[in-house]
Amino acid sequence: MAEILFAAQPIYDRRGHIYSHELLYRHDSGVSALDVGDERATSELLFNLCTGVIEHVEHYKMPVCINVSADFLLSGIFLPLNPKDVIVELIERIEPTPEIIAAIRAWVDEGFRFALDDFEFHPAWDPILKMATIIKVDITKTSFEEASEHYHALRDYPVLWLAEKIEEEATYEKYKDLGFDLFQGFYLAKPKVIEGRKVPSAAGEQAMIIQQLFSEEPDLYDLVAAISTDPVLVVNLLRIANSPYYGVARKIESVREVVMLLGLEPLRKWVLLILSLRNSTPGAAKLVLTRAYMCAELMRQSAHGSRAADVAFLVGLLSGCDILLDVNKNEFVNELNISSSVRDAVLSYFGELGEQLRSVEDFEYSVAMKRIDLADPELFQVYKQSHFLVDELFQAMEAA
């Protein structure tokens, strides 16, 4: 069954040709970008664009305009698109703070173009105006006289002027005669809902991130790219890297720097903690992370080596992905490019990994039923050690 991915509304030039398409957040339930928040709207739209409608974008062979939240701008990452294929729209809720101005300058240096959406023509925006490619004028909020005054006052700026929300021919002709370059509105074309098969954003993003984190030899570029699909995760990792917990002398400003600073093992722990706390209660997160540490320690004690311990940790983690990441376990695990031994252990308790997982889950049941006295004493020591490691991780999270 087709699902709503987003809507696309064309923007036309003076010759009546399509200049670009503005992508608009849409959801099957009817909720708006305001309802879900700017961060989530940006993340979902980007995810649906990059995973569900590549043919749609390739078909148009022209730039797409995408609204970007302030947190995404400040996150130190960039859109996962070629800069020539996208125009970044600054939504009206963004304030032109020094931090925002610096972030936009970094984006421009990377080759991205910016459109000032619902521009207020306030002096505070002057630094950004100098970097803009397009000024969008909402003609329902700005009168023709005001638009004309601003247009003539700023004619020396090398920007394109776009009149949006045009609903009749006479209005279109007025702004065209004034000298505007681009036009958008129901008179020209209404937004078209783009449908397709939507990969669940939570499962899809988290599967990709976890896959990269626990691959045998993680590639730095692929790992950074995977983490960068989740703006909220990036913001949290940047906050942690710049916290007193790490005591770094200079400010960490990119995902790559975060990965290099933290190192693979601490990064795995932080990412798992952030993802788990987003989708579950602290108690559930501690339960599954403790299980994962126990599986890893049991494998380490069996003299299989650190690599085998990493695999066992992944088995413990995936066994609780339904409560840790709020996904369907069978669907999530089957989407991952993992070995059959890991998949069989998680879903069927098969093999040595599966037997270890079952013993750990049986121990969890004994703890829940307050029957620790009946549990294996050696397993109890592994539990105490693992529980301590998880508690330390949570305390570090609070301190960051």
Side-chain angles (χ1 to χ4, degrees):
M1 180 178 177
E3 298 173 285
I4 295 175
L5 300 175
F6 50 76
Q9 185 176 23
I11 296 171
Y12 294 87
D13 63 19
R14 293 179 61 84
R15 297 175 297 170
H17 298 160
I18 296 178
Y19 173 81
S20 66
H21 284 83
E22 180 179 6
L23 304 188
L24 307 167
Y25 179 83
R26 295 290 188 272
H27 196 278
D28 295 279
S29 66
V31 298
S32 68
L34 282 174
D35 294 327
V36 301
D38 293 333
E39 285 186 23
R40 180 174 169 185
T42 297
S43 181
E44 286 188 19
L45 192 151
L46 284 173
F47 188 79
N48 291 338
L49 171 68
C50 294
T51 62
V53 289
I54 298 303
E55 296 84 359
H56 165 82
V57 177
E58 287 297 313
H59 172 73
Y60 284 115
K61 296 293 183 181
M62 58 189 60
V64 293
C65 298
I66 300 177
N67 289 327
V68 170
S69 68
D71 282 334
F72 198 101
L73 280 174
L74 295 169
S75 67
I77 63 174
F78 304 102
L79 292 174
L81 300 171
N82 190 312
K84 70 179 180 64
D85 296 329
V86 64
I87 299 170
V88 181
E89 292 196 9
L90 300 180
I91 56 178
E92 62 270 21
R93 293 182 293 281
I94 290 179
E95 296 293 330
T97 63
E99 293 77 16
I100 288 290
I101 294 171
I104 292 173
R105 186 170 291 110
W107 281 63
V108 171
D109 290 342
E110 287 291 319
F112 288 95
R113 294 168 291 172
F114 279 83
L116 303 182
D117 194 4
D118 197 15
F119 188 47
E120 295 181 352
F121 300 99
H122 190 279
W125 284 87
D126 285 352
I128 297 176
L129 179 59
K130 295 175 182 177
M131 297 183 282
T133 298
I134 297 173
I135 294 178
K136 297 185 71 174
V137 178
D138 183 340
I139 65 173
T140 65
K141 296 180 180 179
T142 303
S143 69
F144 180 77
E145 290 72 21
E146 291 174 319
S148 178
E149 180 182 343
H150 293 310
Y151 173 77
H152 287 99
L154 300 174
R155 288 189 66 175
D156 291 339
Y157 283 90
V159 297
L160 299 176
W161 287 76
L162 189 160
E164 62 176 336
K165 299 187 179 177
I166 295 175
E167 297 188 0
E168 56 187 15
E169 183 179 4
T171 305
Y172 167 68
E173 294 295 342
K174 282 175 62 177
Y175 280 91
K176 189 175 181 180
D177 290 342
L178 177 60
F180 271 51
D181 308 283
L182 303 171
F183 311 89
Q184 182 182 25
F186 284 8
Y187 165 69
L188 298 164
K190 294 182 179 180
K192 178 183 178 182
V193 172
I194 306 301
E195 296 182 328
R197 182 181 179 276
K198 185 187 297 182
V199 177
S201 59
E205 291 170 4
Q206 293 166 1
M208 181 165 52
I209 294 169
I210 290 173
Q211 180 65 52
Q212 291 300 329
L213 275 174
F214 288 93
S215 61
E216 187 166 352
E217 295 182 1
D219 178 84
L220 176 62
Y221 176 83
D222 291 339
L223 181 56
V224 169
I227 293 173
S228 297
T229 63
D230 190 330
V232 179
L233 174 61
V234 169
V235 170
N236 278 282
L237 287 174
L238 287 170
R239 180 171 63 87
I240 290 167
N242 287 300
S243 71
Y245 183 72
Y246 282 96
V248 181
R250 63 182 182 83
K251 186 174 179 62
I252 302 299
E253 297 180 334
S254 71
V255 178
R256 187 178 187 279
E257 288 180 299
V258 169
V259 174
M260 299 296 289
L261 169 68
L262 300 181
L264 182 59
E265 287 307 316
L267 179 68
R268 285 172 170 171
K269 297 172 184 176
W270 283 120
V271 170
L272 292 176
L273 181 57
I274 293 167
L275 293 180
S276 63
L277 287 177
R278 182 194 305 174
N279 297 295
S280 62
T281 65
K286 286 186 177 182
L287 170 69
V288 178
L289 291 176
T290 299
R291 178 191 303 172
Y293 275 111
M294 288 184 70
C295 289
E297 182 58 27
L298 289 175
M299 185 60 73
R300 189 175 290 108
Q301 290 182 4
S302 62
H304 283 290
S306 60
R307 174 57 194 158
D310 288 343
V311 175
F313 185 94
L314 181 59
V315 168
L317 170 71
L318 294 180
S319 72
C321 65
D322 49 344
I323 60 176
L324 190 69
L325 303 175
D326 191 25
V327 295
N328 179 287
K329 183 190 293 187
N330 285 321
E331 291 180 1
F332 184 82
V333 172
N334 282 318
E335 283 179 1
L336 289 173
N337 182 25
I338 54 178
S339 67
S340 58
S341 60
V342 171
R343 182 176 291 104
D344 291 343
V346 173
L347 300 181
S348 305
Y349 298 102
F350 186 78
E352 184 179 2
L353 289 167
E355 292 174 2
Q356 285 185 338
L357 174 61
R358 188 186 293 278
S359 68
V360 171
E361 291 185 351
D362 288 343
F363 177 82
E364 289 175 359
Y365 180 77
S366 297
V367 173
M369 300 302 293
K370 303 187 185 303
R371 296 166 53 189
I372 299 180
D373 57 314
L374 300 179
D376 183 333
E378 293 184 2
L379 201 56
F380 181 56
Q381 291 302 316
V382 173
Y383 167 74
K384 287 199 301 182
Q385 177 183 347
S386 302
H387 194 272
F388 174 76
L389 290 173
V390 172
D391 276 344
E392 273 198 327
L393 186 59
F394 272 72
Q395 290 170 10
M397 182 70 177
E398 293 173 359

